Structure formats: C-alpha cells, structure tokens
Amino acid sequence: MTYRRAILPALAGALLLTALLWWAGASAHALHLPGATAMLDGQSSAELAHWLTPWSYDPPASLPSGQEVSGGIGSAAGTDGTSYLALYTTALQIRFAAVFAFFVPGALLLVRRLPPVHGRMPAALLAVWAWGVVAGTLAVTVSAPWLIASGGHGSFRFLPRLAGVISSGRQALVVTALVAAAVTVLMARVAAKGAGPLPRQVVPVRAARLAATVGTAVIALSLVVLSYQSVAAAIQMVSPSIGLLAEPGDLLRQWLLLGGWSGPGGALGGWLLYRATDVLLLAVVWWALRRLPALLTRVTVPAMAAGTVCATVLGLLASQLLRVVLDGTSSGLRWDLMRLFAGVGEGVPAALTCGLVAGAAAALTLRVAVGRGENADATTAVQGSSDQP
C-alpha cells in the first residue's frame, strides 16, 4: 500500500483521536455538577474525573495564584498566577499537538505494511489501537515538563514527578484510541481498494518461530526478571545526587518494568492464578510475533519494531483485563467497577522500550534464519546437480 493511499486514513485517525481526547477533557468539569453527582455516586464521579483531568484545560486547584515562590537563584520573587495558568495551557496545547504528531507516523507505517485487507483486518485494527495508546503516552511524556513547571516547583523532585505525570490519563486513551483505530482501519480498507495486489511475505515456519521466541525472551526479561520484587526495588532505589536529574528510580521503573510480582505469600493456588496474567502477556506476544512476518507486505526492522510494540501493549491490556476479572471474582464483585479498571493501561512506557528492542532482535533473528535457510537450500541444490552424471 503506497504512502499516498495510507496518509489520509492516518491523518483522519489522528484528528479523531485528538478531538476525542479534547472532548473527554472538556467533559471533566461536568462530573462535579449536581446532575452528574446525582446520577453517579461520589466515589465513581471522583474516579472518572481523575481519569479525564489530564486532558482537561481546566486548571487544577493546586495551581499557584499570585503567591510568592522561591526564585531559581535563591531569592523570593512575586509571580502572577496568570503566568502559571499560561504554562498549564501551553502544556495542554503541546499534549494535544503531540498526540496528532505521534499517531500519524506510526499509523502510516502500520497501515502501509499491514494493510487492512482480506485476513489482515483484525490484526490491523488491534495494531493501530495499540499504537494510539502509545502515541497518547508519548504526548503526555513530551508535555510533562511544562505541566510540572506550572505547579510552581519544577525543580523539586523533577524525575519522580515526571514519572507520576506520565502515568496519568491512560484510561481515557484506551477507549478513545479504539474508536480512532476503527475509523483509521475502515478508511484504509476503502483506500486499499484498487491498489493492486498486496502480497504476504513468505517466511519459513522455523524462522518465524525462532524470531518470535527471541523477541518474547526480551519481553520476558522485563516481565519476569526485572519485575521481580527485589530487582524492581533495587531499580526504584537508584538515586544519584545530580541536581535536577536526581532520584531517577521511579522513572526507570516505569520505562523498564512491565509488571511487578513476588513469591507466594499466601495460598499457592491463588498465587499461580495471578501468574496466569503474566503467562497470557507472553503468549500474546509470542503468537503475534509468530504471525506478524507473514502478515506484513515486507519485513523490515521498523515494521517489526512497531508491530512488537503494539503486540506488547495488547498483551498488557489482555493481562490487565484478566486481572480485573480475577479481582472482581475474588472480591465477589463488591468493589466499584471504576476501581477495578483503574490499572488498565499501565506499563505502556515499558512496552514501548522493551517492544522496540524485542522487535529489532526478532527482525535480525528472522533475517539471519532466512538467510541461513536459503544458503542451505542453495548448497543442497549445488550438491545435487554435481552428483548427477
């Protein structure tokens, strides 16, 4: 599928995702109105407002409003609250612009290499959905410094606060990205009509399995080794004293760890049941990597890396939904649904980091395995021809 045919669906999906997130943020203040609190209980209304606030232009109550704050050179300086409000507004403008800017190239690559035609429609939809979540997370990351500075204490524990800001707004992303992905894929399917044949890549089964195993091993390193309680604690406790970049432990943990687990502290059966979420994540990643080379029109390192990131995000979402079911069942559905779904969307920064590495490793492994297979076939053919009289 050419760039000319793929660009319009990518732009439409990015515009829709940006508009949906803006609409969700603009609706946050309505949750505090009497009508909303009468329809929803106070706890659910507060939780939903917490999900939507990162996309809202309404400034938080903690925003400074004209009081004196410490200046950057040690002297007190009177500051106008409008300056902090302008910083907050700038942060939101950067956030929405970055959502659009990050979604377009990823969706363009996925739609071009994984066109939503016969047999590829579900894979394309899931991949673009996952990329929408990644694009939103990257947008939150890029705009976080302005948001932190708008609080009036940008130099205080900057990296831990940066980690906290990055982890916000993910629940709204999961829903809005799915809608944007559906529109993107439907438009791409229409654009693909008349584009000519979109061939599948012919990949040997053994090479595809080997590449999937190598890529899954990289994901398992983060999920099983780095996410173990003692190792994760050591990562989180990293705190060199280097000024603004001190205490990077929280940020490292967020970008390196796909989860967190420890040894069985209670019943072994319950512990094994919750480990099924980790097994599901790895199974989704392996199956996706096993199928991905055959679905791509051309196997390239960028396409494999993007596909692996999306597969890791989808595995995370599947494991988190399974955990919601387990938590709801074990608690007899006494918990509020909003609280049960509060953890959905976690781990996307780590999925991006580990997915890029795993995708590159899988692509290189696949290239080497296919090359060796072709050389072996060529050698066998030469030997066979030389044996003939």
Side-chain angles (χ1 to χ4, degrees), residues 5 26 39 53 61 69 140 151 157 160 172 177 182 192 214 217-218 230 232 305 319 362 377 381:
R5 292 179 178 270
M39 185 174 60
T53 298
V69 298
V140 172
R157 291 176 56 83
V214 171
V218 176
S230 58
S319 64
D377 293 340

Side-chain angles (χ1 to χ4, degrees), residues 36-324:
T37 54
M39 185 174 60
L40 300 172
D41 61 273
Q43 184 177 358
S44 298
S45 179
E47 186 70 22
L48 188 56
H50 178 69
W51 293 2
L52 300 181
T53 298
W55 305 99
S56 175
Y57 271 92
D58 294 332
S62 59
L63 199 70
S65 56
Q67 73 271 29
E68 287 190 348
V69 298
S70 176
I73 56 175
S75 60
T79 59
D80 189 0
T82 56
S83 300
Y84 291 110
L85 179 60
L87 269 176
Y88 184 84
T89 303
T90 301
L92 268 294
Q93 291 172 346
I94 293 173
R95 181 165 298 185
F96 286 113
V99 169
F100 186 92
F102 282 120
F103 184 86
V104 170
L108 184 62
L109 175 63
L110 291 171
V111 168
R112 186 168 182 262
R113 295 299 181 196
L114 190 61
V117 292
H118 305 291
R120 291 168 167 158
M121 187 77 174
L125 175 62
L126 292 174
V128 177
W129 176 30
W131 182 256
V133 179
V134 173
T137 303
L138 290 174
V140 172
T141 303
V142 169
S143 62
W146 283 267
L147 197 68
I148 294 173
S150 69
H153 302 281
S155 61
F156 174 71
R157 291 176 56 83
F158 176 74
L159 293 184
R161 295 175 67 190
L162 180 63
V165 172
I166 293 172
S167 63
S168 63
R170 59 184 184 274
Q171 296 90 353
L173 269 173
V174 174
V175 179
T176 54
L178 179 58
V179 179
V183 172
T184 303
V185 169
L186 288 175
M187 291 188 63
R189 186 177 180 88
V190 174
K193 292 182 179 180
L198 298 172
R200 292 173 180 261
Q201 188 78 26
V202 179
V203 180
V205 175
R206 182 175 297 180
R209 289 176 179 173
L210 180 60
T213 302
V214 171
T216 306
V218 176
I219 303 299
L221 175 66
S222 171
L223 182 65
V224 178
V225 179
L226 299 182
S227 296
Y228 187 64
Q229 188 178 40
S230 58
V231 181
I235 293 175
Q236 191 169 9
M237 290 173 62
V238 174
S239 57
S241 299
I242 48 178
L244 189 65
L245 301 181
E247 302 181 78
D250 291 338
L251 194 62
L252 287 174
R253 178 176 178 134
Q254 188 173 65
W255 286 88
L256 295 177
L257 275 61
L258 287 168
W261 64 283
S262 60
L268 181 61
W271 180 82
L272 290 175
L273 187 62
Y274 275 89
R275 296 285 67 76
T277 59
D278 300 332
V279 175
L280 178 61
L281 193 159
L282 295 177
V284 169
V285 171
W286 188 91
W287 181 83
L289 290 181
R290 165 66 181 82
R291 296 278 299 164
L292 183 61
L295 292 174
L296 296 173
T297 56
R298 182 185 176 190
V299 178
T300 61
V301 174
M304 284 292 294
T308 306
V309 170
C310 296
T312 309
V313 173
L314 291 172
L316 274 174
L317 294 177
S319 64
Q320 289 161 2
L321 290 177
L322 177 58
R323 183 174 291 274
V324 167

